[in-house]
Amino acid sequence: MKAVSLYAPYGWKAKIGLIVPSTNTINEPEFWRMAPEGVGVFTARAMLLGSMTRESYVAMAEATRSAADQLATAEVDIVAYGCTSGSFMCPMSEIVADIGKRAGAPALAASGAVVAALRALGVRNVAVATPYVQLVNRREREFLEEYGFGVTSLHGLELGETQEERRAIGRVPPEALYRLARQADRPEADAVFISCTNLASLGVVAALERDLGKPVITSNQACFWACLRRLGLNDAIGGHGRLLETCLAPIDDAAFEV
């Protein structure tokens, strides 16, 4: 055992632990799609039930505890809470601190990763596209403004009135997200942010950046980027936007702070 104690066939560079809402079917596949050789993704799920309410987010935040405990047994190098709205509807710093303590590894959350990504790209004003209901959209605008970003526009699909609608977020076609992002964009926006880890938006990032002439950030792209850079891995990953291709410097906890 001593001879192979540092070896992991599917994570010899890094083992990323990922906590996703139980209804999420997009985050994990998109993480694997971006993963360079030697980086593995190991997932646990936090139960998410009901419509898109503050109470459902609180219950899911509580469920991240057992998910983090599970990932500790996988000996991951970092843990990401893969829920954008779940990490700004509840106190992000508290969730991240608890996950990290339980998993025994650095931790971050999708919404904090978006903040770090926008900062790395020098963004001041951002246009936002979401699948959320108005309760969540209002809080997302507040969250971004608290971190110093101007929100030039925010367009939501109003999905989440029922649990079935929440699941349907994962079925929104990428082509529809392309159109939503273009609808959200404004000339004064330095970048467009497509929010939600359960939106299959990774495949349209390159086309949007080409057609809009500005960076496009998605929740999964930003979260995966933050995991790599937080671990000091500077792989340039092509095909999924400027963030992964050009922002190669390591980041630390200060990148996520208000």
Side-chain angles (χ1 to χ4, degrees), residues 3 77 154 218 252:
D77 298 303
L154 196 154
T218 78
D252 57 23

Side-chain angles (χ1 to χ4, degrees), residues 51-54 57 85 88-89 128-143 151 153-162 165-166 169 180 183 195:
S51 59
M52 200 174 279
T53 63
R54 190 174 301 277
Y57 285 114
S85 53
F88 64 68
M89 290 295 290
V128 184
T130 91
Y132 310 133
V133 297
Q134 283 305 308
L135 167 72
V136 182
N137 285 332
R138 284 194 297 269
R139 176 56 193 145
E140 180 153 42
R141 179 184 289 273
E142 292 171 357
F143 174 84
V151 179
S153 62
L154 196 154
H155 285 247
L157 295 175
E158 296 285 344
L159 293 172
E161 295 292 346
T162 65
E165 281 193 2
R166 266 185 159 172
I169 291 171
L180 178 67
Q183 184 180 34
S195 181

